């Protein structure tokens, strides 16, 4: 009986743990006895235990005597594992468990090699894909314990099998495991210590690999180029010695092949030029085809070269060791030729090779490094293809860490010069015209990317800030867009600086005072003379993440010093922090009555600073600051100003320690909100403050959050505020980018969304049921926003009670409600067939109606939901098959391509519904 056999195995296991010495005294008799016990075992539960026992017998050095082969046979007879667990198996044993258990046995000792390796070769040569895969993985595992002695006799057969799998297989997984096994073999052969008169098996093995693969790199049709290159790279990846031998043989050949194809390309181009006057069409077509082919061949050669160079950089760092010194001139010539070619695809690979070469310390001379930087600069400024340009930008960011002086002297002056150019179009290449806007954008991206070294940072940040200083002199929307682009670059620089405290300190002490000085100066000028460019909503919004990123990782001392200066600036108008502080009027951003509306807007920058500091940073004059923010939040200033004040207030409330200060401020706040909601002119300000304070308290599980949420639910029935309050429920449960998020060190408790759902969704459902017809859409919109942010696992248990409401939401005329509900429904349709069975008729009709919605996003999502339905049980869907197919004919002619694409896929799936094999 299986249970009795399992008991025996467990007894043996316990004896091996507690009576190891006594068992070993039995000698080989114990091993022989266990072989007899295990022989013929078929139950997977017992096999897992038996495999573990065999592994312990081997690794704990039990006596095997003359029974080594018998022990191998009694376990290897299960290789490869062919097991399919029964459905609903309570034991949870999978095929993978058995494979790993058996593999641990077979790879536990090198003494199995003479029996195992022929078996692996036999299984690799079979037609069973799973056997091939298992054999290759087992070979890789065995190579960690084998040496040259065990592998010597079987190397030829192993290489032949691996080569065939990589050359001929249609399975990417088998190819990947074959390459991994080859690399494991190379590593194993490299690991053995050789005696003076011993044969170097690694050298002879690599010679075989080179002999069988090298010639394929030169074939005109290039059918086996990539398989051969992959095999060579896998063999080279085993060790530094293997890497040196393979690359020393392959790289010269690749360089020769590239030069031949480059000469062919020049000849073809010259032929096309000669025939351009009266070219025969067939000759012209052939010439263009030939030119494309040579370009593809060169790209393939470059990609193979890149793979070998990356191996070189991994194993061999120094020039005198890596074998590339003699090839340096030829490599540079090839890459510089490719990077100046007209083909974008060649540019992309060439830039990556330039990066690989320049990252090897000491390989390129300073002259070559300067040339690399010049080529990258040319691609950034002159290349019209965005892909090539972005590749050059990313490469610049990588290389700037290693060669900062070259970028300071060669690239920065050109980028700076192009930022200051004025013509509408900059013609930098006879065949390509790059717009001024594109050149400026590329320059800004490059300036941000190269700030990976402190010396470059100190050169680049002033350039970007000078560009913002000139903004008030510009005109039009383009000028504002340029300033926003500069802010995005500054933000990227700030994120890069967070990894280095010295760089972050320089950035913080340079950027923050400058931005505040420029904006305060603009806000305090006479409204008649000020252009107010820097005070526009989009520019101030772009500055917020710049300041925030500069503050989130500050050291405590610098944070304390800066916060006292910033708070002093906003509360008392102390401008000593600012480098240019000769202002025409006093800075009073919290004054609500008077000509200070522009100054009020700068509270957004205060929010970016104080709400991004770590929670342990003490804010001076906190009570006074909160009182001023509360007044400004409810004042009749611009929406941007009072929204920023509300967010700043909420960010501080979220981090404020529990105590009298927090209690007093919240008491006053709730009273002021009630007054504001009752006062017609200030209702929008009051509801904005309410939603941000509610979010701040929800995140930290404050007891008052429930009372404020109830107030918001009650306002859903308000004729004037109901729709806007419904939209604000999305803000309560979603992540905010600029405040009240984890990056800003906000107090965000775990699973706050689930708690909000549990406490408030029943109230929303009750409110919907009791509301009049005009107010019901508000409750549906609020509910859909809440449901849309929750994990599927939380929603599934509640689906039966909520499904009727979700279907009601699909009938709502509001497109936001429709889209939010569809997005919520799509993942749920696959998981609850029993619940949907009652509502399937109404669900299908509503989804089909939404495929004609005016909103493209609603049409696409409704089609996705209809396609998700096909995973439901067949008997539920067959009655509706023809109805759905007929209705989906209309979106096939939709004016939007994305809708047509979704409709084709959905209709095809419904056509196949119920057919054999579907």
């Amino acid at each position: 009986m299986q249970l009795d056999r399992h008991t025996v195995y467990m007894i043996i296991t316990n004896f091996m743990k507690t009576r190891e010495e006594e068992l070993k005294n039995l000698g080989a008799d114990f091993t022989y006895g266990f072989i007899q016990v295990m022989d013929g075992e078929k139950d997977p539960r017992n096999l897992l235990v038996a495999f573990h026992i065999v592994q312990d017998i081997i690794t704990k050095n039990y006596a095997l005597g003359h029974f080594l082969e018998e022990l191998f046979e009694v376990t290897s007879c299960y290789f490869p594992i062919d097991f399919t667990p029964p459905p609903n198996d309570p034991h949870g044993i999978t095929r993978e468990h058995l494979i790993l258990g058996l593999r641990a046995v077979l790879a536990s000792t090198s003494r199995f090699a003479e029996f195992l390796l022929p078996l692996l070769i036999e299984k690799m040569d079979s037609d069973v894909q799973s056997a091939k895969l298992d054999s290759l993985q087992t070979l890789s595992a065995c190579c960690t314990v084998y040496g040259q002695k065990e592998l010597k006799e079987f190397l030829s057969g192993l290489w032949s099998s691996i080569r065939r799998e990589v050359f001929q297989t249609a399975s990417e997984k088998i190819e990947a495991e074959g390459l991994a096994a080859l690399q494991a073999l190379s590593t194993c052969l490299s690991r053995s210590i050789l005696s003076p008169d011993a044969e170097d098996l690694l050298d002879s093995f690599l010679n075989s690999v080179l002999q069988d693969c090298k010639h394929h790199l030169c074939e005109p049709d290039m059918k086996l180029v990539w398989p051969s290159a992959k095999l060579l790279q896998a063999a080279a990846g085993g060790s530094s010695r293997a890497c040196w031998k393979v690359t020393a043989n392959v790289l010269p050949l690749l360089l020769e092949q590239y030069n031949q194809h480059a000469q062919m390309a020049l000849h073809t181009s010259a032929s096309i030029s000669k025939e351009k006057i009266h070219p025969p069409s067939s000759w012209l077509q052939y010439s263009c085809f030939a030119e494309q082919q040579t370009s593809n061949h060169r790209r393939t050669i470059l990609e193979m070269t890149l793979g070998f160079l990356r191996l070189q950089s991994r194993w061999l760092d120094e020039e005198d060791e890596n074998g590339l010194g003699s090839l340096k001139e030829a490599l540079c010539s090839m890459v510089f030729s490719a990077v100046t070619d007209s083909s974008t695809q060649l540019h992309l690979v060439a830039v990556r090779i330039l990066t690989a070469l320049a990252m090897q310390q000491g390989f390129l001379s300073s002259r070559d490094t300067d040339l690399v930087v010049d080529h990258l600069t040319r691609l950034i400024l002159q290349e019209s293809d965005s892909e090539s340009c972005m590749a050059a930008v990313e490469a610049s960011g990588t290389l700037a860490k290693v060669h900062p002086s070259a970028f300071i002297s060669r690239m920065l002056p050109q980028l700076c010069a192009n930022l200051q150019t004025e013509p509408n179009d900059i013609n930098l290449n006879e065949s390509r015209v790059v717009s001024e806007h594109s050149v400026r954008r590329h320059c800004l991206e490059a300036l941000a990317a190269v700030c990976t070294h402190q010396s470059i940072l100190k050169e680049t940040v002033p350039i970007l800030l000078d560009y913002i200083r000139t903004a008030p002199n510009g005109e039009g929307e383009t000028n504002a867009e340029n300033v926003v682009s500069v802010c995005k670059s500054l933000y990227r620089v700030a994120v890069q600086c967070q990894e280095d405290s010295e760089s972050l300190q320089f950035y913080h002490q340079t950027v923050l005072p400058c931005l505040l000085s420029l904006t305060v100066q603009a806000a305090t000028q006479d409204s008649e003379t000020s252009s107010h460019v820097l005070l526009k909503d989009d520019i101030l919004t772009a500055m917020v993440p710049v300041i925030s990123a500069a503050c989130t990782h500050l050291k405590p001392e610098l944070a304390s010093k800066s916060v006292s200066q910033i708070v002093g600036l906003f509360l008392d108008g102390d401008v000593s922090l600012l480098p240019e502080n000769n202002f025409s009027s006093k800075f009073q951003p919290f004054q609500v009555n008077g000509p200070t509306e522009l100054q009020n807007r700068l509270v957004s920058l205060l929010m970016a600073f104080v709400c991004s500091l770590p929670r342990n940073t003490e804010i001076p004059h906190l009570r006074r600051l909160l009182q001023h923010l509360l007044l400004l939040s409810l004042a009749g200033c611009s929406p941007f100003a009072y929204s920023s004040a509300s967010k700043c207030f909420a960010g501080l409330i979220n981090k404020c320690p529990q105590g009298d200060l927090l209690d007093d401020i919240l008491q006053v706040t709730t009273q002021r909100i009630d007054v504001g909601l009752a006062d017609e002119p200030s209702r929008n300000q009051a509801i904005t403050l309410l939603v941000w304070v509610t979010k701040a308290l929800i995140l930290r599980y404050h007891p008052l959050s429930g009372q404020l949420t109830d107030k918001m639910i009650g306002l859903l029935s308000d004729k004037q505020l109901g729709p806007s309050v419904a939209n604000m429920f999305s803000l309560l449960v979603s992540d905010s980018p600029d405040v009240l998020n984890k990056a800003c060190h906000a107090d965000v408790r775990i699973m706050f969304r689930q708690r909000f759902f549990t406490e408030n969704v029943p109230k929303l459902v009750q409110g919907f049921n009791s509301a009049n017809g005009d107010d019901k859409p508000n409750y549906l919109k609020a509910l859909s926003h809440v449901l849309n942010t929750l994990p599927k696992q939380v929603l599934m248990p509640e689906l039966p009670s909520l499904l009727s409401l979700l279907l009601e939401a699909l009938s709502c005329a509001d497109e936001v409600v429709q889209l939010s509900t569809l997005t919520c429904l799509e993942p749920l349709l696959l998981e609850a067939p029993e619940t949907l069975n009652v509502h399937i008729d109404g669900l299908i009709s509503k989804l089909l109606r939404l495929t004609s919605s005016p909103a493209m996003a609603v049409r696409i999502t409704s089609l996705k939901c209809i396609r998700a339905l096909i995973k439901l049980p067949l008997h539920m869907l067959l009655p509706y098959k023809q109805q759905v197919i007929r209705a989906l004919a209309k979106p096939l002619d939709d004016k939007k391509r994305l809708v047509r694409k979704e409709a084709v896929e959905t209709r095809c799936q419904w056509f196949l519904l119920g057919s054999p094999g579907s």
Side-chain angles (χ1 to χ4, degrees):
M1 297 290 289
Q2 180 274 330
L3 181 59
D4 295 337
R5 300 198 309 276
H6 189 269
T7 302
V8 172
Y9 289 126
M10 294 310 299
I11 291 172
I12 296 173
T13 301
N14 290 331
F15 279 167
M16 292 180 75
K17 291 179 180 177
T18 60
R19 295 290 186 266
E20 182 177 340
E21 186 176 348
E22 289 86 337
L23 290 179
K24 285 185 176 179
N25 288 337
L26 297 176
D29 289 344
F30 171 67
T31 305
Y32 177 66
F34 180 75
I35 291 172
Q36 289 182 311
V37 170
M38 184 179 174
D39 192 16
E41 180 61 66
K42 294 181 179 179
D43 190 276
R45 293 164 288 181
N46 293 347
L47 283 175
L48 279 180
V49 184
F51 289 157
H52 186 69
I53 293 173
V54 176
Q55 186 183 1
D56 281 349
I57 288 174
I58 295 169
T59 56
K60 294 181 179 179
N61 297 316
Y62 283 78
L64 302 181
H66 301 292
F67 305 114
L68 177 67
E69 185 173 359
E70 285 77 6
L71 186 62
F72 173 78
E73 291 294 338
V74 81
T75 51
S76 64
C77 65
Y78 300 102
F79 183 86
I81 295 289
D82 183 16
F83 169 68
T84 303
N88 304 318
D89 180 17
H91 306 287
I93 296 175
T94 64
R95 180 171 174 270
E96 190 66 22
H97 291 147
L98 293 170
I99 287 174
L100 294 177
L102 178 57
R103 187 176 299 154
V105 173
L106 298 177
S108 59
T109 176
S110 59
R111 287 183 287 175
F112 280 165
E114 60 178 308
F115 314 117
L116 177 60
L117 292 178
L119 176 64
L120 294 181
I121 293 173
E122 176 190 339
K123 297 302 180 183
M124 279 191 270
D125 294 345
S126 72
D127 296 329
V128 182
Q129 297 295 304
S130 60
K132 293 175 183 285
L133 192 65
D134 202 354
S135 300
L136 291 167
Q137 292 172 339
T138 303
L139 176 60
S140 298
C142 291
C143 286
T144 60
V145 295
Y146 288 3
Q148 287 197 6
K149 181 175 122 178
E150 290 79 19
L151 292 173
K152 180 177 181 180
E153 183 182 345
F154 306 99
L155 275 177
S156 175
L158 290 170
W159 163 239
S160 297
S161 298
I162 292 174
R163 179 188 62 206
R164 183 183 61 256
E165 292 308 320
V166 176
F167 276 165
Q168 299 178 7
T169 186
S171 167
E172 291 184 4
K173 194 163 187 181
I174 290 179
E175 178 188 291
E177 292 299 338
L179 296 173
L182 178 59
Q183 183 170 331
L185 282 173
S186 177
T187 302
C188 178
L189 295 174
S190 305
R191 195 170 49 236
S192 303
I193 300 174
L194 300 175
S195 58
D197 56 343
E199 178 187 0
D200 186 358
L201 284 180
L202 175 65
D203 191 65
S204 58
F205 178 69
L206 292 177
N207 284 335
S208 298
V209 176
L210 287 165
Q211 180 181 349
D212 290 341
C213 296
K214 196 173 163 187
H215 64 279
H216 290 305
L217 303 181
C218 309
E219 291 177 350
D221 58 4
M222 304 190 87
K223 283 183 180 178
L224 295 176
V225 164
W226 269 119
S228 300
K230 289 176 182 178
L231 287 167
L232 289 167
Q233 288 171 6
S239 67
S240 58
R241 194 154 59 100
C243 183
W244 186 90
K245 180 172 180 64
V246 172
T247 52
N249 280 272
V250 172
L251 281 181
L253 179 63
L254 292 177
L255 292 169
E256 179 186 347
Q257 287 294 304
Y258 183 88
N259 290 330
Q260 289 179 6
H261 286 294
Q263 290 297 324
M264 289 173 59
L266 288 174
H267 176 71
T268 304
S269 298
S271 300
I272 293 175
S273 299
K274 289 178 181 177
E275 298 289 338
K276 270 186 178 177
I277 300 174
H278 297 293
S281 59
S282 58
W283 163 249
L284 190 58
Q285 290 173 3
Y286 170 76
S287 299
C288 292
F289 174 76
E291 188 176 22
Q292 181 64 36
Q293 283 294 98
T294 56
S295 177
N296 292 337
H297 289 171
R298 283 184 291 159
R299 184 188 66 190
T300 302
I301 293 169
L302 287 171
E303 288 174 341
M304 289 189 291
T305 304
L306 176 63
F308 286 107
L309 290 176
R310 283 175 172 168
L311 285 172
Q312 286 276 5
S313 63
R314 190 176 84 189
W315 286 112
L316 311 163
D317 293 329
E318 299 300 326
E319 182 184 353
D320 55 351
E321 293 181 1
N322 63 18
L324 293 179
S326 60
L327 301 174
K328 180 170 72 172
E329 185 175 343
L331 277 170
C332 291
S333 174
M334 177 184 74
V335 184
F336 292 153
S337 166
V339 84
T340 54
D341 195 88
S342 59
S343 170
T344 299
Q345 295 304 314
L346 291 185
H347 292 171
L348 297 176
V349 189
V351 165
R352 285 185 283 162
I353 296 179
L354 286 176
T355 306
L357 292 175
M359 287 297 287
Q360 296 192 31
Q361 288 285 1
F363 179 71
L364 294 181
S365 64
S366 59
R367 181 177 173 278
D368 289 332
T369 303
D370 289 345
L371 198 53
V372 169
V373 177
D374 289 344
H375 280 300
L376 293 176
T377 306
R378 179 185 55 78
L379 286 176
I380 292 170
L381 296 178
Q382 300 179 18
E383 182 56 53
S384 61
D385 181 79
S386 60
E387 211 175 347
S388 296
C389 180
M390 289 312 301
V393 169
E394 295 302 322
S396 299
T398 302
L399 295 180
K401 300 177 185 177
V402 186
H403 306 286
S405 58
F407 281 87
I408 291 174
S409 61
R410 312 288 296 189
M411 180 178 282
L412 291 189
Q414 293 196 55
L415 296 179
C416 187
N418 278 277
L419 273 177
Q420 298 167 356
T421 53
E422 292 300 333
N424 292 329
D425 286 309
I426 305 172
N427 192 350
L428 298 170
N429 187 312
E430 291 183 2
S431 60
R432 300 181 185 182
V433 176
V434 186
S435 69
E436 179 193 4
H437 175 73
S438 297
V439 171
R440 290 180 186 275
R441 178 167 53 83
H442 295 163
C443 288
L444 292 172
E445 290 170 347
L447 285 172
V450 298
C451 287
T452 50
H453 192 279
Q454 195 172 1
S455 61
I456 303 179
L457 176 73
K458 293 181 177 179
E459 297 285 338
T460 302
V461 168
I463 294 173
L464 294 172
L465 293 176
D466 284 342
Y467 195 88
I468 296 180
R469 285 191 182 95
T470 61
N473 302 323
E475 296 180 0
E477 291 298 322
T478 303
N479 187 42
E481 291 175 6
N482 290 337
V483 176
V484 170
S485 298
V486 174
C487 290
K488 289 179 180 178
S489 296
L490 283 171
Y491 170 70
R492 179 175 176 178
V493 174
V495 172
Q496 293 170 176
C497 289
Q498 290 174 352
E499 301 174 2
D500 179 60
S501 57
E502 291 185 12
S503 297
L504 182 61
Q505 181 173 346
F506 167 80
Y507 181 91
H508 179 83
Q509 294 176 337
T510 305
V511 174
L512 204 63
C514 179
L515 292 182
L516 288 171
S517 177
L518 292 172
T519 51
V520 170
Q521 184 174 21
T524 53
Q525 287 179 353
D526 294 335
S527 58
E528 297 179 358
T529 61
S530 174
S531 64
H532 305 155
V533 175
L534 297 179
L535 303 179
K536 290 185 175 182
D537 291 0
D538 52 350
I539 292 180
L540 288 175
T541 302
M543 288 183 181
V544 166
V546 175
I547 296 175
S548 180
C551 301
T552 53
H553 290 68
L554 288 181
K555 288 185 174 180
E557 314 85 56
L558 181 57
S560 298
K561 178 184 176 183
S562 296
V563 73
S564 62
Q565 293 174 326
I566 299 294
V567 171
L569 170 66
F570 278 84
L571 284 181
D572 305 317
D574 181 4
V575 295
S576 58
L577 162 72
L578 308 181
E580 301 172 10
N581 51 26
N582 186 19
F583 304 133
S584 57
S585 61
K586 186 174 177 62
F587 182 54
Q588 297 174 312
F590 290 118
Q591 183 177 339
V592 293
N593 294 319
T596 58
E597 183 180 347
L598 293 177
Q599 297 182 23
N600 297 156
R601 304 168 69 82
L602 299 193
V603 173
S604 59
L605 304 186
L606 172 68
M607 173 203 71
F609 179 82
V610 295
C611 293
S612 301
L613 296 171
R615 264 184 273 170
N616 57 3
T617 305
E618 184 178 352
I619 310 291
H621 312 296
L622 181 57
R623 180 184 293 272
R624 185 175 158 216
L625 180 60
L626 288 170
Q627 289 171 345
H628 280 295
L629 287 169
L630 180 58
L631 290 173
L632 186 59
S633 300
L634 296 168
C637 49
S638 68
F640 183 84
Y642 70 69
S643 297
S644 300
S646 297
K647 288 195 278 187
C648 186
F649 182 83
L652 293 174
I653 286 294
N654 175 262
K655 296 180 185 179
C656 185
Q658 195 70 38
D660 293 339
L661 172 60
L662 181 61
D663 294 340
D664 294 345
I665 289 294
L666 288 178
Q667 183 179 1
V668 174
T669 302
T670 53
Q671 293 172 355
R672 294 287 181 86
I673 288 175
D674 290 338
V675 173
L677 290 173
D679 184 22
E680 186 70 27
S682 60
R683 297 193 81 192
N684 287 328
Q685 291 90 322
I687 194 60
T688 302
L689 178 61
L690 172 62
V691 69
W692 281 107
V693 173
T694 304
K695 181 179 177 70
L697 298 182
I698 287 171
L699 294 179
R700 62 178 288 175
Y701 286 0
H702 192 278
L704 188 61
S705 62
Q707 180 183 333
L708 297 181
T709 306
D710 290 344
K711 192 184 296 293
M712 289 189 64
I713 293 175
L715 288 171
L716 290 172
S717 298
D718 187 283
K719 299 296 182 186
Q720 178 188 358
L721 296 177
S724 59
V725 172
N727 285 325
M728 289 177 176
F729 270 82
S730 173
L731 192 149
L732 290 180
V733 289
S734 59
D735 293 324
S736 174
D738 50 3
V739 72
L740 293 177
N741 56 60
K742 290 184 178 180
C744 295
H745 310 288
D747 186 359
V748 181
R749 302 298 176 90
I750 189 171
M751 298 177 70
F752 77 91
R753 292 185 181 89
Q754 287 85 329
R755 177 170 174 170
F756 183 85
F757 170 83
T758 304
E759 293 178 350
N760 296 292
V761 165
K763 299 175 185 176
L764 287 170
V765 174
Q766 183 181 357
F768 171 82
N769 292 330
S770 59
N772 59 48
D774 294 337
D775 297 331
K776 283 183 182 292
N778 297 336
Y779 287 91
L780 289 175
K781 184 183 292 188
L783 180 64
S784 63
H785 284 315
V786 174
L787 298 182
N788 212 23
T789 59
L790 288 173
K792 182 173 62 177
Q793 296 81 355
V794 179
L795 279 178
M796 285 307 302
E798 306 295 332
L799 187 58
S801 60
L802 294 176
L803 190 56
S804 58
L805 275 179
L806 292 174
L807 294 179
E808 183 79 22
L810 293 180
S811 302
C812 181
D814 193 312
E815 292 173 358
V816 176
V817 177
Q818 294 171 356
L819 182 59
S820 181
T821 306
L822 289 169
T823 308
C824 176
L825 267 178
E826 185 185 354
L828 301 178
L829 295 176
L830 309 176
E831 306 290 338
E834 298 83 5
T835 306
L836 291 172
N837 194 21
V838 182
H839 303 278
I840 189 70
D841 186 70
L843 177 62
I844 289 179
S845 62
K846 292 177 188 294
L847 291 176
L848 291 176
R849 182 178 57 81
L850 290 176
T851 59
S852 302
S853 168
M856 184 182 75
V858 173
R859 299 200 299 276
I860 291 175
T861 316
S862 62
L863 288 166
K864 288 181 178 178
C865 288
I866 295 171
R867 189 162 79 248
L869 287 174
I870 64 170
K871 299 297 183 182
L872 295 176
L874 187 61
H875 70 274
M876 291 174 58
L877 301 179
L878 279 179
Y880 305 97
K881 178 177 178 180
Q882 295 306 319
Q883 176 190 353
V884 172
I885 291 174
R886 283 195 303 270
L888 291 180
K890 182 179 179 182
L892 292 178
D893 292 327
D894 197 279
K895 60 183 178 181
K896 294 294 185 180
R897 180 184 61 83
L898 294 176
V899 178
R900 296 195 300 272
K901 177 184 175 185
E902 201 67 46
V904 168
E905 294 179 6
T906 302
R907 197 164 188 253
C908 285
Q909 294 291 334
W910 275 83
F911 261 119
L912 295 173
L913 192 68
S915 59
S918 63

